[in-house]
Amino acid sequence: MARRPGIFGPAKEWPAQDLIAFSSEFDEGLVLAAYSEGVFPMPLHDSGFGQMGWWSPVQRGVLPLDALRVTRSLRKSARRYTTTVDTAFADVLSRCADPRRPHGWIDADIRRVYTSLHERGRVHSVETWDADGRLVGGLYGVSLGGLFAGESMFHDPVHGRDASKVALLALVERLSDEHAEERIVDVQWQTEHLSGLGAIEVEREEYLALLAEALAVPEPAWPRKETHA
C-alpha cells in the first residue's frame, strides 16, 4: 500500500541526506506526526536555519528484537540489577541530558515536549537500579503501535557497568510479545556500540516499509493505564 504524504510531503521527494527539514515550530502533535512518518527531531543549535531539525537518515539504524546480542557477561550483569518501567522518567531524562556528556543535544524544548508526551503515555523510560537503590542506567523513547523509537540512554560510569545494556535487554523483553515480528526498535543511526548489540542499517525506503507494518500493530503492555493520541 502506498504511503500517503504527510506533513513532510512524499518521502520520494525528500533530499538524499539525513536532514530533510527544519522549523521554528515544535510541539507534541508535530513530534508524534513526525515519528509516524519516519522522521524525528534533533535541535539545530547555532545553525542559523531554525530551531529544530527534522531527520530521516538515508541509512537508518534499527534493532530487530530477535537480533539483540546477549552475551554471558551481560546476563551476569543483569542479575546484579533491577529494572523498572516509567518509575523515574524525569531522572532518566536528566541523566541523558547531562551537559557534560559529549555531543549533547537534549535541550529545554526537547525536555518540555518529551515530558509532556510521557505524561500522555507516548514516551516511556526503562530504569536500571543497583542493589543500593541507585539509578545507574536507563533509556527513554517514543512508543507508537509497534514502533519504539529510542531517543537516548545512559549508564553510571562508576556504579553502572552494562546498566544501559540491561535497560535495553529489559525493553526488548517487554516488546517480545505475540507481535514481536512486526515491532521495531528504531535507534536512528547505527554506531559501533549499537552494532555490537545487534543493530543493523537499512535504507530509508525499507525503514518506511517496516514502519508502516509496525504502526499497524497494538501498543505493547506498558504499565501506564491510559494513552492519548
Side-chain angles (χ1 to χ4, degrees):
M1 180 181 296
R3 289 172 55 86
R4 292 180 297 176
I7 57 175
F8 294 95
K12 64 182 180 181
E13 297 179 6
W14 294 351
Q17 62 183 34
D18 294 354
L19 177 63
I20 66 164
F22 51 87
S23 71
S24 295
E25 180 184 358
F26 184 63
D27 58 30
E28 294 86 343
L30 183 54
V31 168
L32 293 181
Y35 281 103
S36 71
E37 295 176 31
V39 181
F40 60 85
M42 186 172 287
L44 292 171
H45 294 140
D46 304 319
S47 68
F49 289 102
Q51 174 182 347
M52 190 61 60
W54 298 94
W55 307 77
S56 182
V58 175
Q59 295 292 322
R60 190 70 165 245
V62 297
L63 175 65
L65 297 186
D66 60 359
L68 179 65
R69 294 174 185 157
V70 184
T71 63
R72 182 179 301 177
S73 63
L74 179 54
R75 286 289 185 192
K76 184 176 180 180
S77 293
R79 291 195 289 270
R80 300 200 310 266
Y81 299 123
T82 300
T83 59
T84 56
V85 175
D86 289 338
T87 64
F89 173 79
D91 293 329
V92 170
L93 182 59
S94 292
R95 298 287 288 274
C96 289
D98 188 334
R100 295 171 295 182
R101 300 182 71 186
H103 311 298
W105 56 273
I106 301 175
D107 62 12
D109 286 329
I110 291 286
R111 294 180 69 160
R112 171 181 55 81
V113 168
Y114 283 72
T115 297
S116 175
L117 288 173
H118 170 69
E119 293 169 352
R120 294 167 59 179
R122 287 302 187 189
V123 169
H124 299 275
S125 61
V126 180
E127 304 89 20
T128 306
W129 309 85
D130 70 6
D132 294 320
R134 286 181 294 236
L135 178 65
V136 293
L139 59 82
Y140 77 95
V142 178
S143 178
L144 289 175
L147 167 70
F148 187 88
E151 287 299 302
S152 189
M153 59 199 310
F154 84 95
H155 75 279
D156 185 315
V158 176
H159 304 288
R161 179 183 177 185
D162 287 339
S164 60
K165 296 179 183 179
V166 171
L168 182 60
L169 174 60
L171 171 69
V172 168
E173 289 176 346
R174 178 169 289 271
L175 300 181
S176 297
D177 57 14
E178 66 270 25
H179 300 287
E181 291 187 1
E182 292 85 19
R183 298 193 188 282
I184 55 173
V185 176
D186 170 24
V187 298
Q188 301 177 347
W189 288 284
Q190 187 185 47
T191 64
E192 183 177 351
H193 171 69
L194 291 170
S195 177
L197 292 171
I200 61 173
E201 284 187 334
V202 297
E203 294 185 0
R204 178 190 284 166
E205 184 177 357
E206 182 179 353
Y207 174 77
L208 295 177
L210 293 171
L211 175 63
E213 294 181 5
L215 293 176
V217 305
E219 290 272 328
W222 298 112
R224 299 177 71 86
K225 294 183 179 180
E226 297 182 3
T227 58
H228 304 281

